[in-house]
Amino acid sequence: MDIMINMEKEEGSEIVYKLRQDSSFDELEVGRYYHARVDRLVKYGMFVRLSRLISGLVHESIFDKEYRENEELIVQLSEIRENGDLSFSPAKLYEYRTQILGENEIIDIEQLERHIGKTIRIRGIISQIKQTMGPITYNVTDGTGIIRCVELRQVDGKISNSTKVGGGVQMIGIVRDGKYGRQLEIDHMEMIEGGMLGKIEEKYEENISGKINLGELKFLVDWPALLKLRDRVESSVEILIRAVFSGRPIVIRHHADVDGICAGLPIEKSLKNLVRYVYGDERSQHNLVRRLASRAPYYDMEDAVHDLNSALSSRDGHGQMLPLLLLIDNGSTKEDIPAYEYLSSYDFPIMVVDHHYPSEDEVGPYLVEHINPYLVGEDYRITTGMICVEIARMIDPDAMVKFGHLPAISGVADRSSAGAMVDYLLLAQELGFEQTDLHRICESLDYAMYVLKYNKGEGLVEDILGVRDGNQFKEVTEFLSQLAKKNVKRQMESSLRHTHSNQLETGVQFNRVEIERGAYRYTYPAPGKITSSIHDYFVEREGPPMITIGYGPDFAIIRSDGVDLNIPQMIEEIKVEIPEAGVSGGGHLVVGSMKFIPGEGARVREVLEIK
């Protein structure tokens, strides 16, 4: 179907005209070249059709090859007879440019809505090719938008070898409002290479640059620590916007906790709004942006295998590019390396937004961008929710009206002691969320995510966060927070009977919690929450300095106050000292967790408590 042309230069090459369906007979001129399609074969030649109203004869005496019905070719108008019959001859042109008869304008894709029902010409880059049971479809982008192009008259029903994702293309057709939104019904298609391809790519970059204008938008609060991340935030926004305009899907993976959700949800919503604008339909947002929750505090192999399998299925079945993977509230540590190595042989760009202590030398080479406050001399007090709300605002400022209170929620959930929390809390209050509301939201969301497990909880999560229309969050969180508190109290009281406290020589109180003995299994709250609750109980009663470790058969959860710890470093030292224990884990400097082989638990406990 498609014709490969080498447009080294546009000026000076022959013009081949493409007729609109309503082109009149009077517009034709002898000697001009036209795009045609074989209409029918007869004994003395073939009739070629230039448009719905115009056709003519190519006599067999001037055939240069054998032709098939519906085959495209270029013809030259040889004669217009007195009775109105048209005579054509086949033409071979190796350098030419196509122009719609009576029109020389190339239409930007974002302007196609103004041309519904008209024959137009576009140029761009193919971002997706899909072989359906019916027509072949192509998604084409020019940096202003993406249009679905439908080939209704493919000769052999197969995708040509010269047609590929990333290739330059010129298409002529009629703009329609179809079943799946706005689309272009292809009447003529040319693959472009050479100098003109360079011009298309240059124009694409120019158009994209016009869509990325981030310099004037200020952060929600005036916080010098967060401003240190400004360049990285802008870089990540550009990567995400480019992914949407290039047709690349985006997979958002966030830790299944309150901070992770407060970070992942606004980015998902802003990207979906951008996709709706770029594609001009509602359906594409669901195919191109997916948000998934991860139970592990790092990107584990189980998630990586699922994500890659889904991406390969979409590529093979729907012609999509492999996605951009955005990891939120995880992705910065050595535990992420196996998954990164697994994906590294595929075109699977990875971006990370996190606030856990990073292993930058190890993870950096696998990432297209890494936003982490530790990389600019700051720490976990800048939560991922605070960072990601700013990213989402830059992608789509209009979509962020409902999300201004999320930084405060993530700060409360992750116990940020940053001075900027005062400003975030005031901002939330201006939006109708008192501090008691924020605490209830945190408790409710923590309970809901434990119950939902791997389900991201689309509707319920939005109601809890108060980001949907109406004020339903007060009723929802009132019930769920009471339920969460009741469960936490029960688990904590039973676990306290299996908690042993003693005073260390350094003056630090050390609490050892035997979670498996004192708490119900597979019941909210999770061991991490139980350990934190017991730790808070002792800090409130005795005051810091204090360390609490919650033990299970194959894990340890560490919490501290008023003690200078470096938990990631401690874990690395234990790995070296007891390699046979299979230790893994990480977290913040003073809050973290680790896993180990159950049979080595006694030895791990001994070494950990010495550290």
Side-chain angles (χ1 to χ4, degrees):
M1 151 63 199
D2 55 281
I3 299 172
M4 177 65 73
I5 60 174
N6 187 348
M7 291 188 172
E8 291 297 340
K9 57 180 182 177
E10 186 166 28
E11 298 299 327
S13 58
E14 292 286 355
I15 297 176
V16 180
Y17 291 96
K18 185 70 182 176
L19 272 62
R20 304 182 307 275
Q21 294 303 312
D22 60 351
S23 293
S24 67
F25 183 86
D26 295 337
E27 295 179 89
L28 301 179
E29 290 185 21
V30 173
R32 279 185 172 179
Y33 296 100
Y34 298 92
H35 287 287
R37 187 185 299 272
V38 178
D39 193 28
R40 58 191 173 95
L41 300 172
V42 295
K43 290 182 179 180
Y44 46 87
M46 63 181 175
F47 284 96
V48 294
R49 182 163 295 281
L50 279 63
S51 71
R52 179 169 52 86
L53 302 175
I54 299 173
S55 65
L57 177 69
V58 179
H59 197 273
E60 64 173 349
S61 63
I62 56 174
F63 273 20
D64 58 344
K65 52 171 276 189
E66 292 294 326
Y67 289 93
R68 297 175 297 165
E69 288 189 2
N70 284 326
E71 184 174 349
E72 283 194 346
L73 72 159
I74 296 173
V75 295
Q76 186 175 30
L77 180 56
S78 305
E79 183 182 3
I80 303 176
R81 297 178 181 175
E82 291 184 2
N83 63 359
D85 288 345
L86 304 177
S87 178
F88 296 96
S89 58
K92 285 187 176 180
L93 297 178
Y94 297 100
E95 288 190 12
Y96 64 87
R97 55 193 173 99
T98 297
Q99 181 175 317
I100 299 174
L101 189 64
E103 178 184 313
N104 192 34
E105 184 181 6
I106 298 171
I107 306 298
D108 287 341
I109 291 172
E110 68 177 349
Q111 303 296 329
L112 292 185
E113 189 175 3
R114 305 176 184 177
H115 298 269
I116 301 296
K118 297 179 181 179
T119 298
I120 57 91
R121 176 168 57 137
I122 63 169
R123 284 181 183 167
I125 298 168
I126 295 177
S127 63
Q128 181 180 352
I129 304 173
K130 184 176 181 180
Q131 175 80 69
T132 70
M133 295 296 290
I136 296 172
T137 66
Y138 309 84
N139 281 357
V140 177
T141 176
D142 66 354
T144 70
I146 294 178
I147 184 69
R148 180 175 183 263
C149 304
V150 183
E151 174 48 62
L152 299 176
R153 295 188 297 271
Q154 186 77 4
V155 176
D156 54 11
K158 296 181 181 179
I159 298 171
S160 168
N161 290 333
S162 64
T163 310
K164 59 183 179 180
V165 172
V169 68
Q170 175 170 270
M171 289 185 174
I172 295 173
I174 302 176
V175 184
R176 305 280 193 194
D177 272 331
K179 178 181 178 181
Y180 300 108
R182 193 163 60 244
Q183 65 184 36
L184 182 75
E185 293 181 0
I186 303 169
D187 195 39
H188 177 71
M189 172 176 168
E190 299 168 352
M191 296 303 299
I192 296 175
E193 58 182 18
M196 186 50 60
L197 176 58
K199 289 185 177 181
I200 289 176
E201 293 171 341
E202 184 179 327
K203 182 64 175 176
Y204 175 85
E205 285 298 320
E206 180 183 325
N207 290 336
I208 282 287
S209 298
K211 301 295 182 183
I212 304 171
N213 186 15
L214 312 175
E216 297 181 0
L217 187 65
K218 295 182 179 180
F219 283 172
L220 284 172
V221 299
D222 185 13
W223 185 11
L226 185 61
L227 285 172
K228 292 181 182 180
L229 291 168
R230 177 82 190 201
D231 289 344
R232 292 175 186 261
V233 167
E234 290 186 1
S235 173
S236 71
V237 171
E238 180 171 351
I239 291 169
L240 291 167
I241 291 176
R242 283 182 175 276
V244 171
F245 275 93
S246 69
R248 186 184 289 277
I250 299 172
V251 174
I252 303 167
R253 274 274 184 192
H254 62 78
H255 190 204
D257 66 358
V258 177
D259 184 32
I261 293 166
C262 288
L265 181 65
I267 289 187
E268 176 197 23
K269 295 301 182 183
S270 63
L271 285 172
K272 284 187 172 181
N273 280 352
L274 180 61
V275 169
R276 280 197 299 271
Y277 164 77
V278 171
Y279 283 78
D281 66 55
E282 293 287 329
R283 178 180 57 94
S284 295
Q285 60 176 314
H286 304 296
N287 297 332
L288 293 168
V289 180
R290 290 192 304 137
R291 179 173 62 87
L292 303 166
S294 295
R295 298 298 296 180
Y298 56 90
Y299 188 52
D300 65 11
M301 280 298 299
E302 183 177 338
D303 289 339
V305 170
H306 280 293
D307 291 343
L308 180 59
N309 180 64
S310 176
L312 293 175
S313 177
S314 294
R315 183 190 68 179
D316 298 340
H318 304 288
Q320 288 185 344
M321 288 184 276
L322 293 182
L324 166 67
L325 176 63
L326 173 58
L327 297 177
I328 293 175
D329 202 28
N330 57 27
S332 291
T333 64
K334 290 182 179 179
E335 279 65 38
D336 302 285
I337 297 296
Y340 291 165
E341 290 178 340
Y342 175 62
L343 297 178
S344 63
S345 58
Y346 293 87
D347 178 21
F348 218 114
I350 303 170
M351 184 165 70
V352 167
V353 183
D354 193 15
H355 71 146
H356 294 87
Y357 191 78
S359 303
E360 175 61 10
D361 291 342
E362 287 81 3
V363 303
Y366 296 99
L367 308 179
V368 296
E369 184 58 85
H370 187 186
I371 305 178
N372 190 307
Y374 285 98
L375 300 180
V376 294
E378 297 298 329
D379 58 27
Y380 68 94
R381 290 174 294 179
I382 302 177
T383 66
T384 53
M386 296 169 184
I387 300 169
C388 286
V389 164
E390 302 296 352
I391 293 173
R393 290 178 66 238
M394 288 187 176
I395 295 170
D396 183 14
D398 294 337
M400 287 313 303
V401 176
K402 299 179 180 179
F403 297 104
H405 60 296
L406 297 192
I409 295 174
S410 72
V412 169
D414 270 26
R415 306 183 184 197
S416 173
S417 59
M421 277 300 296
V422 175
D423 295 324
Y424 282 126
L425 292 171
L426 285 174
L427 177 60
Q429 188 176 34
E430 291 173 6
L431 295 170
F433 295 86
E434 300 295 335
Q435 197 160 345
T436 53
D437 295 327
L438 303 182
H439 283 284
R440 282 201 303 270
I441 289 172
C442 289
E443 292 161 347
S444 300
L445 201 53
D446 189 64
Y447 177 82
M449 291 310 297
Y450 179 88
V451 174
L452 291 170
K453 300 188 186 309
Y454 290 97
N455 189 314
K456 66 176 182 177
E458 185 90 36
L460 177 59
V461 164
E462 292 180 31
D463 281 341
I464 291 172
L465 287 172
V467 298
R468 294 214 285 191
D469 294 336
N471 208 21
Q472 202 167 6
F473 85 93
K474 287 186 177 293
E475 295 178 11
V476 174
T477 58
E478 182 67 35
F479 175 78
L480 288 179
S481 64
Q482 290 300 322
L483 184 60
K485 287 177 181 177
K486 179 180 177 181
N487 278 269
V488 169
K489 182 180 179 182
R490 181 182 63 170
Q491 291 276 64
M492 189 184 78
E493 288 177 349
S494 62
S495 295
L496 276 171
R497 293 194 291 270
H498 298 271
T499 299
H500 308 281
S501 302
N502 62 290
Q503 198 83 7
L504 304 180
E505 294 179 359
T506 57
V508 175
Q509 178 173 323
F510 172 56
N511 310 304
R512 184 189 296 108
V513 187
E514 302 294 345
I515 293 175
E516 287 294 302
R517 297 180 185 176
Y520 292 99
R521 300 181 68 185
Y522 313 119
T523 303
Y524 180 84
K529 183 78 170 180
I530 296 171
T531 304
S532 294
S533 299
I534 291 175
H535 179 77
D536 293 343
Y537 167 78
F538 281 113
V539 168
E540 185 176 347
R541 194 179 74 173
E542 309 291 343
M546 188 169 298
I547 297 174
T548 303
I549 302 180
Y551 285 113
D554 62 349
F555 64 84
I557 297 157
I558 309 165
R559 300 288 185 266
S560 68
D561 263 287
V563 183
D564 187 16
L565 293 182
N566 187 331
I567 292 174
Q569 181 180 329
M570 291 166 55
I571 292 172
E572 290 304 310
E573 291 174 357
I574 294 173
K575 286 181 182 179
V576 174
E577 192 165 342
I578 324 174
E580 64 275 14
V583 172
S584 65
H588 302 295
L589 292 178
V590 296
V591 178
S593 62
M594 58 187 291
K595 294 180 68 176
F596 46 80
I597 295 171
E600 302 294 334
R603 178 70 174 137
V604 170
R605 287 185 179 215
E606 178 184 347
V607 173
L608 175 60
E609 293 182 16
I610 291 175
K611 297 290 181 184

